[in-house]
Amino acid sequence: MVDQNAAPASQATGAGVVPMNMIQALNSAIDVKMAEDANVLSFGEDAGYFGGVFRVTDKLQQKHGLTRSFDAPISECGIVAAAIGMGAYGLRPVVEIQFADYIYPAYDQIVSEAAKMRYRSGGQFTSPITVRSPYGGGIFGGQTHSQSPESLFTHIAGLKVVIPSNPYDAKGLLTAAIEDDDPVVFFEPKRLYNGPFDGWHEKPVSPWKAQDLAQVPTGKYVEPIGKARVMREGNDVTILAYGTMVWVALAGSEHAGVDAEVIDLRSLVPLDIEAIEASVNKTGRCVIVHEAPKTSGFGGELSALVQERCFYSLEAPIARVTGWDTPYPHAFEWEYFPGPQRVADALKSVMTGGR
Amino acid sequence: MNKKNSQPLSLRVPEPSGRPGDTPDFSHLQMDPAGVVERPEVGSTPYQMRDLAFRLIRVLDDEGAAVGPWNPRLDPETMRRGLKAMILTRAFDDRMHRAHRQGKTSFYMKCTGEEAIAVAQGMILSREDMGFPTYRQQGLLIARGYPLVAMMNQIYSNAEDPIKGRQLPIMYSAKDYGFFTISGNLGTQVPQAVGWAMASAYKGDDKIAISWIGDGATAEGDFHNALTFASVYRAPVILNVVNNQWAISSFQGIAGGLETTFASKAIGYGLPALRVDGNDFLAVWAATQWAEERARSNQGATVIELFTYRGAPHSTSDDPSRYRPGDEHEKWPLGDPIERLRQHLTVIGEWDDERHAAALKDAVEQVRAAGKESEAIGTLGQSRPSVKTMFEEVYATEDWRLIEQRREVGV
Ligand SMILES: Cc1ncc(C[n+]2csc(CCOP(=O)(O)OP(=O)(O)O)c2C)c(N)n1
């Protein structure tokens, strides 16, 4: 089912390839970079000794020392601001915001400071920081542990926004983010940390290790930021998705029995516009799926871009499948979280509602 | 008929001691005379020296003598350099303020009355250290010999603006001079300074950071986050609060200055605090040196409140006569930093009226010459960097959006 686009293991510099879940892959990315470059350090709330509430920074302190992986005060603004200062000094800090819902206290530092540093100083100062944060729903986290704030950052000039959907990309993209000379906001779909959740919450989920994209080189490799991945080739309709929704899109197209081309955007800024154009021009139809609320979500931007660039190829109106414009509800999580059924419905309407 | 047996509450809104038309009243200020405040060992615990958060460190007395344990015993040449840099800063401010009135730029902010702070501190620290300034530390660049022409080019956003017409006038950026890029968002630079200092410590280097924030902006969360981080990680940083009494039209009581001193904010974080006469060049010098030694010997951060007065309007967009007594600045009991250092140098026989007049003339000349040079390149709107630069340095490399948008503009 999944298109085999994963780079061969030989591309990696290290020795082995082992199955990893997303947590292990992300941990490995930071670990390998810390081993390679003394300027890389990692901190955040509970991120040091304990290794983070999701264990993404597990054992980094034991391996690399107290001053390289440490706990931070519960001060998101302070964490990001300190990282900015470190970045200006020449370090490459990777900071964790425990949940994306808590990135708002740091918003000013990310938006007004990190994003603008290179520009406002005429290139004298840069902000090569990575702000990692678990985001998205599907874990019964309620309003304050489920949000998808990516569009608030894609609107900001100077920021890159990266969202992986599988262990292989998670490691390669996080490595690229750490090496990037610009500030990167790196959202980790926490629903995917332990398995490729396809949105059928009542059906069993296969573990990561059964997936090709969970075969992760233990050594260093880089997945370039700004390149989408075709997860499934298809001819009838293009589905644009990222994060957990990539797996929901795959399940939804299977459920609908539609030959959909599923594109995992992987990075929203920079965006792989060529891959989007090529696919929509081929299929003539487009469905966009994201977890964030619909209004002013990134789907609106994608829809406008497709309309601007592929209008004459389109056979049907573009459809969006998104979270609702409500706060994230605890008891109604499965009504809120866009699932395969809603994707299938959208696919069917796009397939039949054409000209 | 009020049947309740509880007392009605009332809201207090702090008010300053004088408003327009009133006689300035500074009787509420408790100011130690010069020389009386003890000078603790640099390694003292914050607890041992708690008293200093509420006192006022002063070296120059009313007669111009340098007295007491904080006297840094500077050599006359250093003091003369400081005096000249303060004079030059004031001359620069005066000319650029006028340039705004003449329509040559959109905006300007003076530091009149506060010159001793950035000049002394800029002279003490090295260019390898990093200053995280606000918009009132132009004296730091001037004391370090940053080209006045480059400052003016920035103010005019002309073709030679070192930061390419992207920032509001006076938001300089001068890495080679230890001057971090200024943000328009108040307070953001303070926790960044702490992070920079943490990085130096992490690397085992010997550089320290220094930051400034206004009394008003200490109410921002960034300031408190910075104190937490500085204290937790024992960052080698000097955290200055420039209490110039006014935050635009709000007196310092609105930021909490009526209840306690700004220096004392450090106490809750376990950081040492010094409260200093900010118009006394020698006191600023001595306190900064104390904090520098503490930072360099790996004992962490110091909070310094610099007690001063903003003599000029907040900015060229402000009219202070609408919210404070018109002559409040002249009545400021701590005097003027330039006059006080001049008096001291004169008293010890290292300066005289003739030399002072010559220094003033020289400063005006330097500013005039730089002004000519910069204005020949262009004032605001007359010349500017290529529009192409608008699209550059958003990212390390341009992406397709910016390339397309640049083409749309035709550059
Ligand atoms: C976050 C933020 N809020 C408000 C402003 C608008 N503003 C600019 S200067 C200023 C007053 C600052 O006063 P203070 O911190 O005492 O510094 P001073 O100007 O007296 O040197 C205000 C409110 C701003 N620039 N940034």
Side-chain angles (χ1 to χ4, degrees):
Chain A
M1 176 191 75
V2 173
D3 183 279
Q4 248 306 350
N5 269 349
S10 59
Q11 199 179 303
T13 53
V17 172
V18 299
M20 293 190 197
N21 65 25
M22 272 182 90
I23 294 169
Q24 293 160 331
L26 291 161
N27 179 278
S28 174
I30 308 171
D31 187 19
V32 169
K33 276 308 294 177
M34 285 180 91
E36 177 191 271
D37 181 357
N39 288 325
V40 176
L41 67 172
S42 155
F43 59 99
E45 295 158 20
D46 302 297
Y49 179 80
F50 181 60
V53 293
F54 291 102
R55 321 312 316 275
V56 171
T57 54
D58 189 31
K59 301 229 163 45
L60 296 180
Q61 186 174 87
Q62 286 91 324
K63 285 192 201 170
H64 302 285
L66 189 63
T67 63
R68 299 197 60 197
S69 173
F70 52 85
D71 292 319
I74 303 174
S75 169
E76 291 77 15
C77 170
I79 290 168
V80 172
I84 291 170
M86 291 173 175
Y89 193 94
L91 303 185
R92 292 190 176 272
V94 187
V95 298
E96 176 174 298
I97 301 297
Q98 203 160 63
F99 288 87
D101 312 73
Y102 310 133
I103 209 163
Y104 306 118
Y107 196 60
D108 183 43
Q109 284 287 347
I110 297 173
V111 167
S112 313
E113 303 297 317
K116 298 345 190 249
M117 203 60 78
R118 177 190 304 282
Y119 196 75
R120 84 176 192 212
S121 66
Q124 294 183 40
F125 296 97
T126 60
S127 203
I129 70 170
T130 304
V131 180
R132 294 180 34 243
S133 193
Y135 90 110
I139 60 146
F140 282 101
Q143 291 177 17
T144 56
H145 301 83
S146 305
Q147 294 171 67
S148 300
E150 68 275 9
S151 75
L152 297 176
F153 297 94
T154 59
H155 189 60
I156 306 303
L159 291 180
K160 292 185 175 175
V161 179
V162 176
I163 306 179
S165 74
N166 59 76
Y168 184 89
D169 288 350
K171 180 169 173 181
L173 288 168
L174 183 55
T175 305
I178 297 170
E179 292 182 350
D180 202 291
D181 289 333
D182 290 313
V184 178
V185 180
F186 192 94
F187 286 120
E188 302 165 4
K190 57 180 165 305
R191 192 64 185 80
L192 298 181
Y193 270 156
N194 289 303
F197 183 63
D198 62 6
W200 291 120
H201 54 96
E202 64 277 32
K203 295 182 187 170
V205 175
S206 66
W208 268 123
K209 60 177 187 297
Q211 299 285 336
D212 294 328
L213 288 169
Q215 307 310 311
V216 178
T218 52
K220 185 182 142 179
Y221 65 96
V222 176
E223 278 293 295
I225 294 174
K227 287 270 167 274
R229 177 191 284 283
V230 179
M231 290 292 279
R232 181 188 188 283
E233 280 184 19
N235 293 304
D236 290 348
V237 53
T238 299
I239 307 182
L240 303 178
Y242 50 91
T244 314
M245 289 302 121
V246 170
W247 298 90
V248 174
L250 290 168
S253 51
E254 199 174 305
H255 184 58
V258 171
D259 184 21
E261 180 143 298
V262 177
I263 297 187
D264 176 359
L265 296 174
R266 301 203 291 185
S267 122
L268 308 188
V269 179
L271 184 69
D272 191 348
I273 192 69
E274 285 174 14
I276 295 170
E277 277 184 53
S279 179
V280 176
N281 285 334
K282 177 176 83 173
T283 62
R285 291 180 164 84
C286 182
V287 171
I288 297 158
V289 194
H290 63 61
E291 285 184 62
K294 189 168 198 173
T295 303
S296 303
F298 195 65
E301 179 62 29
L302 290 170
S303 171
L305 284 168
V306 169
Q307 191 276 143
E308 281 168 6
R309 286 157 190 267
C310 310
F311 181 75
Y312 295 104
S313 307
L314 285 175
E315 301 283 339
I318 300 159
R320 283 185 283 168
V321 179
T322 69
W324 311 119
D325 288 318
T326 70
Y328 207 105
H330 184 246
F332 313 112
E333 180 147 70
W334 299 122
E335 284 77 14
Y336 184 94
F337 192 82
Q341 186 60 55
R342 283 183 58 204
V343 173
D345 293 348
L347 288 170
K348 283 179 195 155
S349 82
V350 166
M351 292 309 298
T352 54
R355 19 177 204 195
Chain B
M1 212 172 54
N2 185 4
K3 288 194 182 137
K4 290 200 296 183
N5 67 357
S6 56
Q7 203 187 325
L9 301 171
S10 64
L11 182 70
R12 189 273 305 252
V13 177
E15 274 290 301
S17 59
R19 286 297 192 188
D22 293 343
T23 308
D25 174 15
F26 294 111
S27 55
H28 58 286
L29 300 183
Q30 290 172 6
M31 288 184 300
D32 290 286
V36 304
V37 176
E38 50 155 338
R39 183 182 184 282
E41 292 297 317
V42 165
S44 302
T45 66
Y47 187 80
Q48 286 170 326
M49 51 182 286
R50 219 157 39 153
D51 194 35
L52 269 75
F54 304 94
R55 306 292 297 274
L56 196 66
I57 295 167
R58 304 175 66 189
V59 172
L60 291 170
D61 69 14
D62 293 346
E63 278 69 52
V67 296
W70 284 94
N71 182 1
R73 301 178 194 283
L74 290 187
D75 63 281
E77 188 41 42
T78 304
M79 288 191 277
R80 275 192 295 263
R81 272 203 294 128
L83 182 62
K84 286 179 188 164
M86 289 198 283
I87 290 170
L88 184 56
T89 302
R90 192 166 290 181
F92 184 86
D93 272 357
D94 287 343
R95 172 149 184 138
M96 297 322 292
H97 195 81
R98 265 201 322 280
H100 172 264
R101 295 278 181 264
Q102 295 162 348
K104 291 174 181 167
T105 182
S106 60
F107 185 73
Y108 193 72
M109 292 174 109
K110 299 169 101 177
C111 65
T112 313
E114 304 174 33
E115 291 91 345
I117 296 165
V119 167
Q121 298 187 312
M123 284 171 71
I124 293 171
L125 296 194
S126 114
R127 289 184 189 190
E128 302 267 283
D129 302 318
M130 189 60 73
F132 289 75
T134 76
Y135 42 69
R136 262 186 247 287
Q137 277 78 50
Q138 56 266 53
L140 193 151
L141 288 173
I142 290 174
R144 288 183 173 176
Y146 184 79
L148 301 182
V149 182
M151 292 174 76
M152 291 176 179
N153 292 342
Q154 197 283 320
I155 290 164
Y156 292 144
S157 288
N158 67 20
E160 300 289 321
D161 173 0
I163 46 177
K164 305 163 203 181
R166 293 169 181 165
Q167 281 251 56
L168 198 65
I170 68 156
M171 302 270 176
Y172 314 106
S173 183
K175 191 175 185 180
D176 294 344
Y177 288 76
F179 194 96
F180 197 71
T181 161
I182 298 177
S183 176
N185 290 33
L186 292 173
T188 51
Q189 73 283 4
V190 186
Q192 293 168 8
V194 175
W196 196 94
M198 287 169 70
S200 175
Y202 165 81
K203 300 265 288 181
D205 294 345
D206 59 2
K207 295 176 225 176
I208 67 173
I210 179 168
S211 74
W212 295 265
I213 189 171
D215 47 284
T218 59
E220 289 281 0
D222 290 271
F223 176 67
H224 301 273
N225 299 332
L227 295 186
T228 299
F229 276 67
S231 158
V232 168
Y233 301 109
R234 205 179 286 161
V237 61
I238 303 172
L239 302 165
N240 296 292
V241 177
V242 181
N243 179 357
N244 64 10
Q245 312 303 317
W246 292 93
I248 313 186
S249 70
S250 305
F251 85 117
Q252 46 112 17
I254 292 294
L258 273 189
E259 306 310 317
T260 187
T261 66
F262 290 96
S264 74
K265 309 263 175 189
I267 292 175
Y269 296 90
L271 294 171
L274 303 174
R275 191 159 170 271
V276 182
D277 176 351
N279 290 14
D280 177 341
F281 186 88
L282 298 184
V284 174
W285 189 287
T288 308
Q289 234 174 15
W290 189 96
E292 182 199 19
E293 199 184 323
R294 191 167 172 107
R296 291 216 199 277
S297 56
N298 220 13
Q299 298 178 86
T302 302
V303 174
I304 304 180
E305 174 180 350
L306 298 145
F307 203 66
T308 182
Y309 191 92
R310 164 166 63 72
H314 171 75
S315 75
T316 44
S317 313
D318 173 49
D319 174 8
S321 72
R322 300 180 65 142
Y323 53 80
R324 68 186 188 190
D327 55 348
E328 209 181 58
H329 184 216
E330 286 122 70
K331 302 280 166 57
W332 178 245
L334 296 174
D336 178 274
I338 294 180
E339 289 309 315
R340 285 178 68 194
L341 187 58
R342 170 193 183 175
Q343 182 194 21
H344 173 63
L345 277 166
T346 307
V347 165
I348 61 171
E350 295 288 347
W351 198 248
D352 54 38
D353 290 353
E354 233 167 83
R355 291 172 87 163
H356 197 74
L360 290 177
K361 190 158 166 274
D362 178 58
V364 171
E365 265 317 308
Q366 282 188 57
V367 173
R368 183 180 298 148
K372 267 192 170 165
E373 201 181 317
S374 176
E375 289 184 22
I377 301 162
T379 57
L380 182 66
Q382 288 183 341
S383 95
R384 55 181 192 165
S386 155
V387 178
K388 200 164 167 281
T389 65
M390 180 167 86
F391 295 97
E392 290 166 356
E393 290 171 325
V394 179
Y395 298 95
T397 52
E398 263 179 337
D399 71 11
W400 59 270
R401 300 174 302 161
L402 291 162
I403 293 168
E404 284 187 7
Q405 289 166 21
R406 178 159 56 74
R407 288 203 188 117
E408 208 173 313
V409 174
V411 290

